[in-house]
Amino acid sequence: MLGIKYPIMCGGLQNIATPELAAAVSNAGGLGTINISMWPDLNDFRDAVKKTKSLTDKPMCVNISMIPGVDMGDKIQRYINICGEEKVEVLETSGKDPAELVPLIRSLGIRHIHKVPAVKHGVRAEKSGAEIISIVGAECGGHPGADMIGTFILGAEAYGKYKAPYQLGGGVYNGRTLAAAMALGAEGVVVGTLFCASKEAPISDNHKQWIIGAADKDTVLCQKSIKNVVRVANNQTARDCLEMEKKPGVTLQDLMPIIGGNIGKEAYKSGDISKGMFPVGQVVGSITEIKSVKDIIDGMVTEAVEVLGQLDALRRN
Ligand SMILES: Cc1cc2nc3c(=O)[nH]c(=O)nc-3n(C[C@H](O)[C@H](O)[C@H](O)COP(=O)(O)O)c2cc1C
């Protein structure tokens, strides 16, 4: 459906999903993604699409997150039109039901993935017209949704619930987890945190080293109080955010001075790991090396094939 070699998609990574990273993923046989929130100016966004297209002749994806704080509102249709004009192959929406965007996406002939943190939201998204459902579990980096159900449960629960194919994310980082997702019924995986630790990720070495050194318990859930829960590195900003959230009636606007995307973006450049929200999943405890995107994807595929072979041998014996 997507014209890709391997069923591995890089999630929309705010402030990280550059044309270079996206092209590296697509060139390695996966689906690379850029993220509209990184280009508030539409001409800059068009240039980013063109740049990605100049770096790969493989399909690419554009992520449109409609989560509070990054939602581009009425401007989204204009981003989608640019995607049509520049022949972007795939769009991934997330954050709220995509119904109002579906007619435009369909009219432009772009494949449409919608990402959800709960099986029931996927049912609704499919009714609204999404062609592929991405489901992410509670362990994922970024927004795991309110229900906090794990990837294993969601992956199995989704089986048979959709006519559309679905992919699974939250904790996928090697061939074993890829094979496990497929055994549960998913046709592909969405991977975020692991690609943040790739050589091509445009973040400081300090951030990558933090991932390599972190344990599975080193993430924390913030923004529950404003119903916009997000899993991030347990750094000073996350702790400050949790402190501010103790105040009754706290709003997104109250938190923005410390959680705003630009602060995180600045920290990715300066290497100050204590500042800004750094979305990462519990999988940080399992990532132990900084590798190129190609090595990551080749390694995942090789291991998944081996694992499936071992399982098949069990069946035959
Ligand atoms: C640094 C970072 C930024 C992210 N930003 C976005 C985003 O802007 N939009 C979005 O839909 N998902 C975003 N996500 C979520 C990922 O696309 C993906 O769903 C998630 O990382 C998968 O779980 P994993 O981190 O366990 O691999 C982000 C994740 C990370 C790690």
Side-chain angles (χ1 to χ4, degrees):
M1 264 179 102
L2 301 177
I4 56 175
K5 192 168 175 195
Y6 302 129
I8 301 171
M9 168 180 181
C10 179
L13 307 175
Q14 193 191 14
N15 291 328
I16 300 179
T18 53
E20 290 79 5
L21 178 60
V25 174
S26 291
N27 284 332
L31 182 64
T33 304
I34 63 170
N35 183 325
I36 66 165
S37 71
M38 291 163 63
W39 294 279
D41 182 287
L42 289 160
N43 290 326
D44 292 346
F45 171 68
R46 188 187 294 275
D47 289 345
V49 174
K50 284 189 164 150
K51 178 86 192 277
T52 314
K53 293 252 158 211
S54 75
L55 297 173
T56 183
D57 57 1
K58 306 281 189 307
M60 65 172 287
C61 175
V62 169
N63 172 272
I64 299 175
S65 178
M66 294 177 280
I67 272 163
V70 287
D71 189 349
M72 294 286 196
D74 294 343
K75 238 166 115 181
I76 289 177
Q77 313 252 354
R78 292 162 70 194
Y79 282 97
I80 295 175
N81 275 317
I82 292 174
C83 290
E85 286 156 19
E86 300 300 334
K87 310 266 180 287
V88 167
E89 292 83 357
V90 189
L91 280 173
E92 184 199 49
T93 51
S94 66
K96 71 175 187 199
D97 187 79
E100 61 190 27
L101 303 177
V102 167
L104 178 59
I105 297 173
R106 279 289 166 87
S107 74
L108 296 170
I110 305 175
R111 287 291 193 197
H112 180 198
I113 303 173
H114 185 71
K115 185 163 66 182
V116 294
V119 174
K120 64 182 178 208
H121 297 325
V123 171
R124 186 163 152 210
E126 184 177 25
K127 271 199 194 114
S128 299
E131 295 174 286
I132 298 177
I133 309 298
S134 276
I135 311 171
V136 286
E139 48 271 68
C140 74
H143 293 275
D147 297 343
M148 300 309 295
I149 308 294
T151 304
F152 199 84
I153 299 291
L154 293 177
E157 190 188 332
Y159 186 75
K161 298 284 192 318
Y162 312 129
K163 285 199 192 72
Y166 65 98
Q167 48 183 18
L168 202 55
V172 177
Y173 73 102
N174 61 8
R176 290 194 173 274
T177 45
L178 167 60
M182 298 186 85
L184 291 172
E187 296 199 21
V189 290
V190 51
V191 175
T193 304
L194 178 63
F195 286 122
C196 298
S198 68
K199 285 189 180 154
E200 289 88 343
I203 57 176
S204 82
D205 199 48
N206 283 352
H207 284 80
K208 294 181 193 179
Q209 292 301 337
W210 185 91
I211 294 176
I212 300 303
D216 50 9
K217 62 178 175 36
D218 287 341
T219 72
V220 68
L221 294 167
C222 291
Q223 297 173 214
K224 270 194 217 166
S225 63
I226 57 165
K227 297 192 168 46
N228 190 27
V229 63
V230 63
R231 185 180 293 285
V232 292
N234 187 359
N235 67 1
Q236 192 55 49
T237 296
R239 291 189 285 276
D240 291 345
C241 177
L242 288 172
E243 201 49 44
M244 287 172 78
E245 286 188 77
K246 287 182 183 161
K247 192 178 130 205
V250 72
T251 64
L252 177 64
Q253 282 64 36
D254 296 334
L255 301 176
M256 269 324 231
I258 63 163
I259 69 166
N262 280 340
I263 301 164
K265 190 174 166 185
E266 196 41 52
Y268 287 151
K269 268 195 223 141
S270 73
D272 186 347
I273 186 73
S274 70
K275 292 223 175 72
M277 297 296 245
F278 181 23
V280 282
Q282 291 176 326
V283 71
V284 286
S286 304
I287 300 171
T288 54
E289 256 185 289
I290 299 168
K291 295 188 198 166
S292 70
V293 163
K294 182 166 176 6
D295 285 350
I296 288 175
I297 292 184
D298 284 350
M300 285 177 80
V301 172
T302 305
E303 190 183 46
V305 170
E306 272 168 26
V307 169
L308 294 172
Q310 286 160 8
L311 294 177
D312 194 44
L314 275 181
R315 183 183 61 82
R316 280 188 274 113
N317 293 334

